[in-house]
Amino acid sequence: MTLVPPTPKRQRRSPASAAALWLGLYLLAVTVPLFALLPAPASAGAGFAWDFAMALGYAGIAMLGVQFALTARFKRATSPFGIDIVYYFHRYLAIAAVLLVTAHVALLQLMAPMTLDPRVAPAHLTAGRIGFVLFVLLVLSSVLRHRLRLPYEAWRIAHALLATTGFALALWHLVGAGRYLDETWKRALWLAYGLFWLALIAHVRVLRPARLAARPWRVRAVRAERGRVTTLVLDPPAGQRIDFAPGQFAWLSLARTPWTMQEHPFSIASSAAQHDAIELSIKALGDFSSAVQQVRPGTIAWVDAPYGTFGIDALPEAPGYVFVAGGVGIAPIMSMLRSLADRGDRRPLVLFYGNSAWDRIAFREELDTLTGRLPLRVVHVLQEPLADWPGEVGLVTQAVLDRHLPPAPLRQRLHYLLCGPTPMTLSVERSLAALRVPAAQVHSELFDWV
C-alpha cells in the first residue's frame, strides 16, 4: 500500500497556483455566507451601523466554521503551504474571528442594550452569549496553553468540545435572531453551511479513525538514544508498505482505539528508502513522550502518515544542503541524511547541530558514520561544553555560520533547512539574511505548532 500520492505529473498545478487556488477557496467559504445580508423588503432599512454589526457577526461565525476545515488534514489543501503553516494560520484566524464576534456583541449592546439575565432574555440570545464565551475560552486556552501547563491530551479534548459546542450555539443564535434569513435561499445557504460543518466533524471524528482502525500498526522495536530521545520502530499493516519523503512526519497514537484524541505529531527519522517500517524519534518533553520509553515491542499503534512538505525532495535541483538542527529537531534531518546516503548522493552537505552537552547529542555516533558515506561536515555547537572542548560554544550564531559555510557564490546557492526551537530558528533566519543568503533558499520547519 502506498500512503502518499505518486510523484506529481507535469501538467499539475505549480505550488504557487495551488496556493492561490486554496486561498481563493478559503476566501469564498468565509464570504459566501455574507450574501445572507443582502436586504430583502422585510429586512431593509435597519441602518448602516446595525447592518455593519450584523456583518461582523456573520463573518465571525463563517470564519469559525471554516476553522474545522483547516485542521482536517486534507493533504491537497495543506501541501502548497505545509501543515505547520496551516495550523498557525488556523490559530491566528481564530483570534481574528473571535475579535470580529466581540465587536459584533459590543456594537449591538451599545445600540440596543438587552438584559443579560438568561431567565428573561430570549433563548437564542443566551445561546449566542454562551457560544461567545466558549470561543473566548477556546482561544485563551490555546494561546496560553504552555503558560498554563495544560496537558496536551486534556487540551485537545477541551478544544474539540469548546469548538463544537460553541459553533452549535452560534448557529442556534443565528437562526433565532435571523431577521436577515427571511428568504428561502438564505436559509438554504446557512443550512448547507451547517451540513458542511457536520460533514467535517464526521470526517475528522468518525471516518478517519475508522480508516485507521482498519489498519493497525505494531511496534517492532524500542531504542534508547542519547539526550532522552527514544526511537520507535513501527511496522505498517501486514502486506502493506509506507512511502514518504524525507522530512515528513506522522501522527501517532498508542491508545486502545484511534477514536480517542491522543494523537501526537512526530517527525519520521528513518530513511525514505526504507518501506517496510518507519522510525519516530521522540524526546521526553511531556507525559506522552516521557512514557514512550516504556512501550513494549508488539504494542498496537495507530499511525496517520505521511504529512508535511519540509524536506530535500521539494528542492531536487539544489547544488547542496545546509542543515541547522536544535535538540530533537535533528529527527527529520536524520531522515534526510539517511535517505541521501542510501541514494548515493554526492552533493556537499553541512550540518550545524546545537545541543546542551556532548553526552546528550542524539545520533552522535551515527552522524560520525554518515560523514564517511556522504560529503558531510558536522559542526557541533554546545551550550555546556567540557573544559577541553575544541569546538563551537553557545548558540548557532551568525559568526558560527560564517566560519563553517562555504564561501560565495556557493553559499548563496545552497538550500538551508532549519528545524529546532522557534527562538533558534528565528535567530538563524536573521543570521542567514545578514550573510546575504536569499530568503528563497531558507526553509524552516515550525517546531511548536501544536
Side-chain angles (χ1 to χ4, degrees), residues 75 100 105 107 134 144 171 196 250 303 370 374 377 414:
K75 291 183 180 179
L100 289 177
V105 172
L107 283 174
L134 294 182
L144 302 176
L171 288 179
F196 168 69
V303 178
L370 285 170
L374 291 165
R377 181 181 182 189
L414 296 172

Side-chain angles (χ1 to χ4, degrees), residues 99-341:
L99 289 176
L100 289 177
V101 176
T102 302
H104 163 77
V105 172
L107 283 174
L108 291 182
Q109 192 64 23
L110 283 173
M111 289 185 290
M114 294 189 67
T115 178
L116 300 178
D117 188 345
R119 297 171 299 178
V120 179
H124 68 270
L125 285 181
T126 300
R129 289 162 178 164
I130 295 174
F132 170 63
V133 171
L134 294 182
F135 281 123
V136 171
L137 291 175
L138 183 150
V139 168
L140 290 177
S141 63
S142 299
V143 172
L144 302 176
R145 177 168 69 90
H146 295 293
R147 291 186 184 181
L148 298 174
R149 298 182 180 179
L150 296 176
Y152 177 76
E153 292 86 354
W155 169 78
R156 280 202 71 191
I157 293 172
H159 191 85
L161 290 175
L162 289 171
T164 304
T165 307
F167 192 71
L169 291 171
L171 288 179
W172 179 7
H173 168 74
L174 183 145
V175 172
R179 75 177 278 184
Y180 288 89
L181 303 183
D182 49 8
E183 295 183 273
T184 301
W185 72 269
K186 295 181 180 181
R187 290 190 292 271
L189 175 66
W190 274 94
L191 175 62
Y193 193 72
L195 292 175
F196 168 69
W197 166 71
L198 290 174
L200 285 174
I201 295 294
H203 168 77
V204 173
R205 302 300 177 203
V206 179
L207 298 180
R208 186 167 62 208
R211 287 198 298 269
L212 295 179
R215 302 183 307 185
W217 290 54
R218 197 170 294 274
V219 177
R220 177 196 298 180
V222 181
R223 188 171 66 243
E225 314 283 1
R226 295 180 183 272
R228 298 187 300 131
V229 173
T230 301
T231 295
L232 296 183
V233 183
L234 299 163
D235 288 330
Q240 300 178 0
R241 57 178 267 162
I242 171 72
D243 289 338
F244 64 94
Q248 290 191 298
F249 70 93
W251 291 88
L252 170 70
S253 173
L254 297 171
R256 291 184 179 180
T257 77
W259 276 276
T260 61
M261 288 184 284
Q262 297 181 20
E263 296 175 297
H264 297 257
F266 297 108
S267 294
I268 301 173
S270 48
S271 169
Q274 177 181 340
H275 300 289
D276 64 335
I278 61 171
E279 296 183 8
L280 305 180
S281 294
I282 302 166
K283 186 169 184 176
L285 296 173
D287 293 340
F288 178 85
S289 55
S290 298
V292 165
Q293 57 190 313
Q294 306 300 327
V295 174
R296 295 181 178 275
T299 299
I300 290 177
W302 312 106
V303 178
D304 187 13
Y307 288 93
T309 57
F310 177 73
I312 53 175
D313 283 7
L315 311 164
E317 304 302 323
Y321 303 100
V322 176
F323 305 101
V324 183
V328 77
I330 192 66
I333 292 173
M334 287 302 298
S335 177
M336 297 181 222
L337 293 174
R338 288 164 169 166
S339 299
L340 289 168

Side-chain angles (χ1 to χ4, degrees), residues 1 50 54 71 77 94 133 170 237 307 327 379 438:
M1 178 187 66
W50 186 270
M54 295 301 294
T71 57
V133 171
Y307 288 93
V379 180

